[in-house]
Amino acid sequence: MNYYDPKVMAGVKNLFLKARSVVDGAMMGIHSSRAKGMSAEFEEHRGYAHGDDPRHIDWKAYAKFDRYYIKEYRETTNLRAFIVMDCSASMNYASNGMSKFDYGSTLAASLAYLMLRQQEAGGLITFSNKIEKIIAPKTAHDHLFAILKTLQDTVPQGETSAAAALQDLAASLKKRGMVILISDLFDAPQRVAKGLRQLRARGSEVIVFHILDPAELSFPFKEPSLFEDLEEELTLMADPRAIRSAYLDTLRQLMAEYRRICFSNQIDYTLFDTSIGLDRALTRYLTWRQKFRVR
Amino acid sequence: MNLTFLNPLLLAGLAAAMLPILIHRITRKKAVVRKFSAVRLLMQSQRVTARPQRLKHLLLLALRMFTVAAIVFMMARPVVVRPGVAALPDNGARVLILDNSMSMGFREDGGERFEIAKKAAAATLTGFGGRVALIPTVRTPESPDVQWQTSQAALSTLQGTPLSFGRGDAVSAFRQAYQQLEKLKVPKQILVFSDMLRSDWEALNLADVGAITDAEINLFRIGGPGRDPNFCTKSVRLEEGEMVAGVSSALAATVSNLSDGDATLNVQLYLDGKKVDQKRVDPKSGADASVMFDVLVEKTGWVDGEIRLTGDRLAADDSFYFPLKVSDKVKVLIVDGDPGASLKESESFYLTQALRPGGLEGTPFLARVVTQSEMQRLDLQSFDALCLLNVARPDFSQPAAFLQAGRPVLIFLGDRTAPEGYNQFALSPWQIRGRIDRSAEAEKKTGVFHIAGALQFPAALQNSLKSASFYSYYQVDGGVKPLLTLQDQNPLLLAANAAKSRLYLFTSSADLDWNDLPLKAAYVPLLQGLLKEAVGLAGASLPADIKWGEPFGNGRRPVQTKGTAGGPGIYQFSRSGSEFRQGVNIPHEESVLVKLSAAELKKKFGPMDVQVVEYREDTFGKQQGGRRELWPLLLGVLLAVLAIEMVVANGILPFRKEAITK
């Protein structure tokens, strides 16, 4: 049995177990990861200069070389990360047993687990057309369970308005940090872009996890259908075979637009297909990030 | 072109063409209700695709409706009926006039015109269920009576109709056709298959044959409207009268170039089936040319002659047949009333020399000279002609019997003749009067003033005859028109019917005593011609040939000795207990392959609706019309429509997009 298969994962009710298994699986895939190096570490010695804090003088080096050396460390301040989770009604869509919200929740839980295991402060913001709930970033161990409980208790509903949530978040952020947006992004790209740009302007690093259902990506329907929208009072009578091509084109354009916006704002953009195992998706993302974003 | 259906009741099923609309309505109500997260995107897409999709749906609907309609249509078995030029309902009556005249034997590249015509006529019978009558333009006693037949029977009659050797009689054919059709109350049609030769069709006049205005007339011309090249022998004649055994005769053949260009012809002479001579001649376009053959036959009796031409496409008129009757030499008894001590001084010398100018060879005459007393001891039955030369007082009982036997007598006067003795001859229609003697006054001598046309004297020698001088001659009275007249209006030569033959009187002497005629070039031909005419060797040099199809005459039962069986050739029959032969040849007019134009043909039919169709074997099927079932075509269209429907419905089109993958 593949425990990372979203179908199998959907049967696992405990989000903590889900998060842990996903993170374990992901960490096994990146043996040479430098993620553990996020804590404070010695960097180098340099000669003492006037004005340096005497507390940083390495007395052992003075004893050995009879000169003052200052010990320098890499900055090891805790990362403040917000996981911004879309909990609009559209996230409730599931064609293969696991909804986009479940998939996103597992992803969010995995990220929170990963952060807290590395002593980083992770918080959670859920939003639909407004910010629903905020859990401020903390490094406390039991903080993970607060995040997990919030995710488990959240029922996706309402319309998507990632732009509003991001703008609100940007306005409330007082310190640089990381913002991880998990959403299906069925919103106006330019408005979302505005929120993302504001976050970047505040110095935050932004990561966008675009979650889509395989049925949204392939539109496999054949019978004439009356499509009812999950968020709004919209219905459409259509022959799927007739509009499939145009729909896929529109979706491609939407995704391309988000890619372009993210690229131009130095934002990581990753598409997650809910039919693909989360560990693999996460591994792929972490590998990519490590390769291109190592500082 | 008409569209009909074999199962028209099934067309009610066309209502089923509405099925796609019904199915569309039904399936629309049964659409699946589906929750979806990106309906707004779908609506956006729908806006983009709405117009093409609507078109697509309409196209699909139309294709499906067409498919159902096409299936119903196929089951109703549609048939396209092309009327064509020979179309006629199955209850109609069709008369086929088939030109079987000799000219239809012309060989086209595709075969003989007559066979092409029969094939075309047969094609019009295929599938026709009405009644048919077949009328050939040349009918023979063996031809079957014209009657209505089924198509099958008419086809059999058609195949058995032979090509004829004579002229087509379009008038008679149309008259029979009208007689067949006039009482019928059904659709009527007359189809003519002919080369429309001017000689055959010129005489057609609707006023003569009547007109059926409700009959459709279609003329199918076989062989095109232009003149076809052809050569033929127009006539053959002997230039010097009948043939005599052992004597060569000049035989003139007149050949015609009936083509648009000059030609070189090879003219061959056959006697009794053996080729005896051949000559080349170059007649101009449309002109005749004469070819002379020197013919020598040793034995008496009938000889079958044939002139053969080669080099054209109409074989039937390439041979011209003529019988030659070869007679024995003419035995002439000359009674010399003034025999001299020497031959030259005799009255008969010049006449004898004139009848055998080159000796016995080459002359048709055998002359025997006797005195008056010797004649009385002779049996005159063995002679063909009797000449009395300066006989003083002849015993006319023998000449009278001679004339009664049908043989001619020629009398030449002279210084010893006693007119009163001659005037007592009961068979003589004239009276000999006084003698005119101008020998003492040379300046008053007279010549021939007039030559009667009946004498048929060669024109080239007439001056020679007129230059002769006559010093003495007898005046003659009687109501007989002279053959030769002197300048003083006295007759020189008279001829009259006497008993069963002819009696001739020459009013001057046969030697040089009273005239210098024996010294003139005209003397020999004059006397030979006179004798030939007297014994019947001159005049019609050959039995007049009759044209194929003309009757031989009552009671004649000819036997063909030469030529195509039942056609042109030489026929032998008995007449008055003796054998007689006659040549039968193609009518010359039938060899002139000039056609009537379409306009001329239409003009002959006046206001009637007549179509003139230039027959071509490769396009006749279309011209003929016919019926064709459409279901194979519809099936093909249906399959094509289904294929298009599949492509359109299933989106097997270039704009199909694959699912989005990472």
Side-chain angles (χ1 to χ4, degrees), chain B residues 83 197 233 312 342 364 381 402 463 492 501 529 560 566 646:
Chain B
L197 211 62
T233 302
D312 63 21
S342 68
Q381 294 302 316
F402 202 77
N463 286 336
L492 176 62
S501 187
Q560 189 173 12
M646 279 175 61

Side-chain angles (χ1 to χ4, degrees), chain B residues 206-234:
Chain B
L206 280 192
D208 297 339
V209 296
I212 299 179
T213 52
D214 58 345
E216 176 192 339
I217 301 176
N218 293 319
L219 309 175
F220 293 93
R221 189 204 299 279
I222 317 290
R227 173 180 178 167
D228 298 312
N230 190 31
F231 315 114
C232 74
T233 302
K234 194 173 186 180

Side-chain angles (χ1 to χ4, degrees), chain B residues 124 190 212 277 346 418:
Chain B
T124 64
I190 299 175
I212 299 179
D277 201 357
S346 297

Side-chain angles (χ1 to χ4, degrees), chain B residues 110-440:
Chain B
E112 196 178 62
R113 274 185 192 160
F114 185 59
E115 291 304 320
I116 295 172
K118 282 166 81 171
K119 202 171 168 183
T124 64
L125 296 178
T126 308
F128 176 59
R131 64 185 90 180
V132 180
L134 177 67
I135 302 174
T137 57
V138 182
R139 290 181 58 76
T140 61
E142 294 78 30
S143 299
D145 292 336
V146 176
Q147 57 186 358
W148 290 117
Q149 296 175 296
T150 63
S151 288
Q152 199 61 34
L155 194 61
S156 176
T157 308
L158 176 71
Q159 298 306 335
T161 303
L163 178 65
S164 171
F165 303 98
R167 290 181 62 184
D169 187 351
V171 178
S172 175
F174 265 94
R175 186 175 289 133
Q176 287 186 60
Y178 284 5
Q179 285 169 1
Q180 289 291 121
L181 289 171
E182 63 182 347
K183 290 178 183 171
L184 297 178
K185 303 290 183 192
V186 296
K188 303 165 188 174
Q189 186 183 59
I190 299 175
L191 302 181
V192 182
F193 298 91
S194 170
D195 54 6
M196 312 295 173
L197 211 62
R198 182 175 289 278
S199 61
D200 294 351
W201 287 79
E202 189 81 276
L204 180 64
N205 186 349
L206 280 192
D208 297 339
V209 296
I212 299 179
T213 52
D214 58 345
E216 176 192 339
I217 301 176
N218 293 319
L219 309 175
F220 293 93
R221 189 204 299 279
I222 317 290
R227 173 180 178 167
D228 298 312
N230 190 31
F231 315 114
C232 74
T233 302
K234 194 173 186 180
S235 65
V236 172
R237 64 189 171 86
L238 285 166
E239 288 288 292
E240 298 158 354
E242 276 192 26
M243 286 192 66
V244 174
V247 180
S248 65
S249 295
L251 184 124
T254 304
V255 294
S256 299
N257 176 7
L258 303 169
S259 309
D260 289 332
D262 299 346
T264 298
L265 301 179
N266 190 25
V267 187
Q268 300 170 336
L269 171 66
Y270 287 77
L271 293 178
D272 279 341
K274 291 181 182 173
K275 184 170 150 185
V276 294
D277 201 357
Q278 73 172 29
K279 291 192 173 171
R280 295 174 78 87
V281 66
D282 305 306
K284 300 285 184 190
S285 169
D288 296 341
S290 195
V291 185
M292 297 296 292
F293 292 100
D294 200 19
V295 184
L296 176 65
V297 179
E298 295 294 347
K299 60 175 184 178
T300 60
W302 287 97
V303 173
D304 292 338
E306 178 187 353
I307 294 289
R308 235 180 250 181
L309 301 176
T310 55
D312 63 21
R313 290 185 165 214
L314 185 58
D317 66 351
D318 286 349
S319 288
F320 186 93
Y321 298 97
F322 56 96
L324 293 170
K325 186 178 183 184
V326 183
S327 306
D328 208 348
K329 289 193 175 184
V330 178
K331 298 183 186 70
V332 182
L333 179 64
I334 301 171
V335 181
D336 192 338
D338 185 19
S342 68
L343 196 58
K344 199 168 184 179
E345 291 172 353
S346 297
E347 188 82 18
S348 61
F349 175 75
Y350 290 101
L351 177 59
T352 309
Q353 294 303 313
L355 296 185
R356 48 181 189 187
L360 286 176
E361 291 293 324
T363 175
F365 301 102
L366 275 177
R368 181 178 175 185
V369 181
V370 296
T371 61
Q372 187 176 3
S373 58
E374 286 173 328
M375 180 189 78
Q376 290 167 351
R377 293 194 297 272
L378 285 174
D379 178 9
L380 300 189
Q381 294 302 316
S382 58
F383 295 97
D384 300 309
L386 174 63
C387 296
L388 301 175
L389 274 61
N390 200 12
V391 177
R393 289 180 179 273
D395 176 4
F396 278 104
S397 60
Q398 279 185 304
F402 202 77
L403 286 166
Q404 283 294 344
R407 292 157 192 187
V409 174
L410 291 86
I411 299 171
F412 292 82
L413 301 179
D415 54 353
R416 298 189 60 181
T417 52
E420 60 276 12
Y422 283 87
N423 291 339
Q424 289 172 0
F425 184 30
L427 295 177
S428 170
W430 46 68
Q431 290 290 312
I432 301 172
R433 303 300 180 192
R435 173 185 164 191
I436 295 174
D437 186 2
R438 299 178 189 272
S439 55

Side-chain angles (χ1 to χ4, degrees), chain A residues 160-174:
Chain A
T160 307
S161 183
L166 292 174
Q167 285 170 27
D168 290 349
L169 177 62
S172 62
L173 276 180
K174 295 188 172 64

Side-chain angles (χ1 to χ4, degrees), chain A residues 93 216-218 221 223-230 232 237 242-247 250 252 271 284, chain B residues 28 31-42 44-46 49 53 655 657-660 662:
Chain A
Y93 184 72
E216 291 170 336
L217 287 167
S218 63
F221 314 115
E223 306 84 9
S225 307
L226 180 66
F227 292 97
E228 291 180 348
D229 195 70
L230 291 172
E232 301 173 72
M237 178 70 198
I243 61 170
R244 179 174 186 270
S245 174
Y247 164 77
T250 310
R252 268 196 196 88
L271 176 66
R284 200 159 63 188
Chain B
R28 190 174 183 183
V32 179
V33 177
R34 203 183 289 281
K35 298 275 185 190
F36 195 62
S37 52
V39 173
R40 197 168 285 280
L41 277 185
L42 286 179
Q44 207 174 325
S45 310
Q46 177 85 332
T49 59
Q53 284 305 316
F655 52 78
K657 296 291 192 297
E658 295 304 322
I660 297 169
K662 288 175 74 180

